[in-house]
Amino acid sequence: MKGHLDVKELEKCKKADLQKLAEELGVSTEGTIKELAERCAEVEVEIPDESELTEEEKEAAEQAAVEYAEENKREEPEKDDEPQAAGTVTVEVTAMYLDKVLNEVKEPGEVFTVSRERATILERAKVAKIKE
């Protein structure tokens, strides 16, 4: 399957990572993060169907997503027994992962409170879902 990378997601990457991607895609590695992201997003790339991924590739992608989420975390998660503060949501773990921020392994079914931003990142990483 072919497609394009999301320019908004690329803009969140570090410049060195974007330069490496640009080099791999055969586009100029010069310019700002925004310029690099736009050039990389213009290139049509192979997007593997999830069914084509090996278990190792799926685990690596999940771990990378969790690490990305932890690098971009801005607020500390709240405890389950405390009332929810404004801007926080409850999430339920859907896939086991190592939460490096809390330094613990999260198991499927666990429920805890985090910032809305962190919940969105965990949901995108497919390791948790937001509970309404």
Side-chain angles (χ1 to χ4, degrees):
M1 188 165 83
K2 291 198 180 261
H4 295 274
L5 300 171
D6 183 355
V7 71
K8 293 292 183 196
E9 289 297 317
L10 290 173
E11 288 176 355
K12 296 177 184 176
C13 295
K14 295 177 183 169
K15 187 171 183 177
D17 293 336
L18 280 176
Q19 288 173 321
K20 182 179 177 186
L21 176 62
E23 187 176 310
E24 290 173 4
L25 295 174
V27 298
S28 172
T29 60
E30 301 300 317
T32 65
I33 289 176
K34 184 174 179 140
E35 292 167 337
L36 285 167
E38 287 172 356
R39 278 196 297 275
C40 290
E42 289 174 358
V43 177
E44 189 172 61
V45 294
E46 282 290 324
I47 300 174
D49 182 354
E50 191 159 325
S51 64
E52 296 172 358
L53 297 176
T54 66
E55 287 302 315
E56 284 179 1
E57 291 169 328
K58 288 178 185 177
E59 288 174 16
E62 182 178 310
Q63 184 62 32
V66 170
E67 288 172 5
Y68 175 81
E70 290 165 357
E71 287 175 9
N72 292 295
K73 180 188 163 300
R74 292 193 179 115
E75 294 181 27
E76 285 295 316
E78 309 238 345
K79 298 287 182 199
D80 284 344
D81 51 354
E82 295 177 9
Q84 278 195 359
T88 62
V89 294
T90 302
V91 295
E92 181 177 351
V93 178
T94 58
M96 184 171 67
Y97 74 98
L98 173 60
D99 191 320
K100 291 182 182 177
V101 174
L102 300 173
N103 196 25
E104 59 186 43
V105 174
K106 293 291 189 180
E107 299 280 341
E110 264 186 78
V111 176
F112 59 103
T113 303
V114 295
S115 69
R116 184 166 297 283
E117 180 182 40
R118 177 144 164 86
T120 302
I121 292 168
L122 292 172
E123 194 169 52
R124 272 194 229 133
K126 298 183 180 175
V127 296
K129 65 181 178 182
I130 297 172
K131 293 185 64 121
E132 295 301 326

